[in-house]
Amino acid sequence: LVFNNEIGGVNIGADVGWYNQQELNNYRAGMTLKMAGVTVGGSFSMDSIVSSLGQSTDEAQSGNGHSWTAGASYSTGPYGFSLAYFRSEADGSKAVAARDKLDVIELGVSYALSEGISLSGSAFKVDFEDESDVKASENSGWGVAAKVGLSF
């Protein structure tokens, strides 16, 4: 289900969805608001993996989890700036009560060189926490990405 409309000078986009593929159920919802070059938005997603007996297909693994994201961007003329955050939590082993966790924060910039040609880049930080709380199974780091975009 999708909604896109402008109300009082604010562009509103929203969607709600569900899908089932074999034993995977996914539910999601998201929304964006845009006005005067500023866009804010977010989404939420939830996964559930179950068999016809109501149990995980793998006796040792759960497969349930959820994630959400929030972000904002601003564009003026050829320049664009954005900040986004993503969080995911998922059950892994049924023997452990804790959850795997993933956090990502990203800062991006873009510049339109001319019509059809753009440059963009981002810097991001990623943190992963393993449900077992074993430091050797956890990871974190920084990254950068750059892009030259061509459109016709």
Side-chain angles (χ1 to χ4, degrees):
L1 180 62
V2 177
F3 174 82
N4 285 307
N5 205 345
E6 183 177 328
I7 299 173
V10 178
N11 290 314
I12 301 170
D15 69 280
V16 176
W18 167 79
Y19 73 84
N20 173 276
Q21 182 179 19
Q22 295 178 344
E23 297 177 347
L24 170 66
N25 287 306
N26 175 268
Y27 309 90
R28 71 162 317 279
M31 183 172 201
T32 60
L33 303 172
K34 183 175 182 178
M35 181 176 172
V38 176
T39 303
V40 295
S43 66
F44 179 82
S45 178
M46 183 172 62
D47 292 321
S48 176
I49 301 175
V50 295
S51 72
S52 58
L53 300 175
Q55 301 294 322
S56 170
T57 55
D58 181 341
E59 289 301 316
Q61 300 293 316
S62 171
N64 297 318
H66 67 271
S67 63
W68 62 271
T69 186
S73 66
Y74 175 70
S75 61
T76 179
Y79 301 98
F81 308 92
S82 63
L83 178 65
Y85 178 77
F86 172 81
R87 169 75 173 201
S88 173
E89 293 187 19
D91 295 336
S93 171
K94 289 182 179 179
V96 179
R99 304 180 108 188
D100 290 332
K101 297 178 180 99
L102 176 65
D103 293 289
V104 181
I105 188 164
E106 180 181 23
L107 178 64
V109 296
S110 64
Y111 179 72
L113 290 171
S114 65
E115 187 166 339
I117 303 173
S118 63
L119 301 174
S120 60
S122 63
F124 50 91
K125 182 171 184 347
V126 178
D127 285 311
F128 173 75
E129 294 179 28
D130 185 69
E131 67 182 354
S132 66
D133 204 25
V134 174
K135 296 301 178 196
S137 297
E138 298 183 357
N139 204 347
S140 66
W142 289 87
V144 294
K147 173 183 137 181
V148 175
L150 300 173
S151 61
F152 304 93

